[in-house]
Amino acid sequence: MATKIGLTEVATDVFELRLPIPFEDGLVNVFLFPDGDDADLLDCGMNTEESVEAIHSAVRQVGAKRIRRLVVTHIHPDHYGAAGVFAGEGLADLYLHRLEVPLVYPRYIELEHLVAQVRTYLLVNGLPAEEAEVLSNSQRALSQIVKPVAPAVQLDGAETLEVGRRRLRVEWTPGHSPGHICLYDEGEKILFAGDTLLPELSPNIGLHPQSTPDPLHEYLEGLRRLAGYEPRLILPAHGRPFADAPTRVKALIAHHKRRLEQFAAIVSNGERSGWEVALELWGVRDNPYEKRAALQEGLAHLQALAVEGRVKKFVTPTSVRWTGA
Ligand SMILES: [Zn+2]
């Protein structure tokens, strides 16, 4: 069943709704789980009129009157943006992993401290001052499409949640974000993969002031665990549903292994900042989000190499430098 707002029944009583976003491939997939007058929602798109109205309309179309539970995979604006519209006092209950909770306030409400922290992070990693200023302030634009709300339930991972008429297990898969979660239907082998396992894109895995200290290793470990479940159907947050998790996971792991070798080779030629390494691999980028993502992704790989003892990392208050071990 497909309708004009892109509402599709992707499994029994599971509806995929595709919402507009200004990045990635232009769409984020959220999922509605009707249960009588109630519907539960996995992720909620950005806080824009068009996106919020599409969700209201989808809730009506599946025959529900209200949203009961909102589960959010992680607090990036395309997944969490409208949370404060749908959840809170007298509204739906928000379920969020506890490692996402402390990211919300500095990122979307009181930004000054994080902007300053990010500026320092960019400077010590080798960005020119002018660019560091622009990039550290780019966070401000995102806070306008996010209406935050505190969770009713903080998840640890491994909980079983009643979502619609299904029971779904919470899979904590850090890397793309510290408290990123997937949901897994063990009986039907359906994986709601969020941004962790995507059919076409490789999600940004970055080392930055709000990340965990070794996000790439954590990400790869999560991928291996998910592949081991051999899900029959994977419902990602970006792109179309797909089936062969082990093959896709193999490709993603191979991609990161290749990158690790490239970064190791670059720093074996002499000491570099993270920014110099990113420029050497990817060249100059104009879009500020792409610049930041390239630096963060580069640093996540360098950090993984340092953890493995394959590169050396030197830190002072004013610089972070990398070199071959
Ligand atoms: Zn994301």
Side-chain angles (χ1 to χ4, degrees):
M1 172 187 133
T3 64
K4 61 182 187 312
I5 60 160
L7 187 66
T8 311
E9 189 166 12
V10 286
T12 309
D13 290 331
V14 180
F15 292 83
E16 180 202 59
L17 175 62
R18 311 198 79 193
L19 299 170
I21 54 169
F23 37 83
E24 314 267 13
D25 60 346
L27 290 168
V28 63
N29 310 323
V30 307
F31 297 91
L32 257 183
F33 303 77
D35 182 13
D37 282 351
D38 295 324
D40 297 330
L41 184 61
L42 175 62
D43 284 346
C44 58
M46 294 185 327
N47 183 26
T48 66
E49 219 180 288
E50 184 188 8
S51 188
V52 166
E53 189 38 53
I55 290 177
H56 283 309
S57 153
V59 169
R60 287 192 296 271
Q61 283 192 54
V62 301
K65 296 201 168 84
R66 69 188 87 84
I67 298 173
R68 176 178 57 191
R69 299 183 186 116
L70 169 62
V71 184
V72 167
T73 57
H74 63 301
I75 57 107
H76 291 169
D78 47 333
H79 304 264
Y80 172 77
V85 175
F86 297 108
E89 207 44 47
L91 298 166
D93 288 328
L94 173 65
Y95 291 64
L96 190 62
H97 191 276
R98 62 192 174 88
L99 292 189
E100 294 296 280
V101 178
L103 311 184
V104 169
Y105 189 84
R107 199 178 281 210
Y108 300 128
I109 302 168
E110 177 46 64
L111 284 76
E112 296 317 314
H113 179 73
L114 184 62
V115 167
Q117 203 181 8
V118 168
R119 188 186 299 120
T120 302
Y121 151 87
L122 294 170
L123 289 172
V124 301
N125 283 298
L127 254 89
E130 216 172 283
E131 298 206 52
E133 193 57 37
V134 174
L135 293 199
S136 60
N137 280 291
S138 63
Q139 185 66 32
R140 293 182 199 278
L142 292 181
S143 68
Q144 284 157 18
I145 47 167
V146 177
K147 186 176 185 195
V149 65
V153 177
Q154 294 196 27
L155 300 165
D156 300 317
E159 292 87 351
T160 297
L161 303 181
E162 311 243 349
V163 182
R165 299 191 187 99
R166 287 170 186 266
R167 289 191 163 170
L168 304 178
R169 189 180 132 97
V170 175
E171 294 291 336
W172 177 41
T173 52
H176 175 65
S177 194
H180 185 289
I181 58 163
C182 301
L183 294 181
Y184 190 52
D185 186 320
E186 292 169 294
E188 289 190 32
K189 289 179 151 303
I190 300 173
L191 176 67
F192 298 88
D195 278 359
T196 290
L197 184 52
L198 302 174
E200 274 151 34
L201 301 166
S202 174
N204 182 245
I205 309 300
L207 183 74
H208 56 82
Q210 286 197 325
S211 73
T212 45
D214 184 11
L216 182 62
H217 280 134
E218 288 183 325
Y219 174 66
L220 297 176
E221 203 181 297
L223 281 185
R224 289 191 192 99
R225 192 175 82 238
L226 297 179
Y229 293 164
E230 298 188 349
R232 183 180 62 78
L233 176 65
I234 301 135
L235 298 168
H238 305 282
R240 304 318 307 132
F242 62 109
D244 190 354
T247 299
R248 183 63 188 138
V249 165
K250 231 181 251 169
L252 285 165
I253 291 174
H255 162 79
H256 287 292
K257 282 219 167 111
R258 237 177 0 253
R259 283 267 183 270
L260 286 168
E261 297 314 317
Q262 288 172 309
F263 284 117
I266 291 173
V267 296
S268 73
N269 294 325
E271 201 178 290
R272 302 267 197 292
S273 72
W275 183 236
E276 286 165 341
V277 174
L279 280 179
E280 234 172 289
L281 188 65
W282 285 300
V284 183
R285 304 206 174 188
D286 292 332
N287 180 311
Y289 294 103
E290 283 179 18
K291 264 186 204 171
R292 225 174 109 170
L295 174 67
Q296 295 176 353
E297 183 101 18
L299 290 172
H301 286 79
L302 290 167
Q303 176 68 18
L305 288 166
V307 169
E308 290 173 17
R310 297 180 58 195
V311 311
K312 289 208 181 314
K313 178 182 186 182
F314 298 101
V315 297
T316 72
T318 52
S319 80
V320 180
R321 310 278 295 173
W322 310 81
T323 185

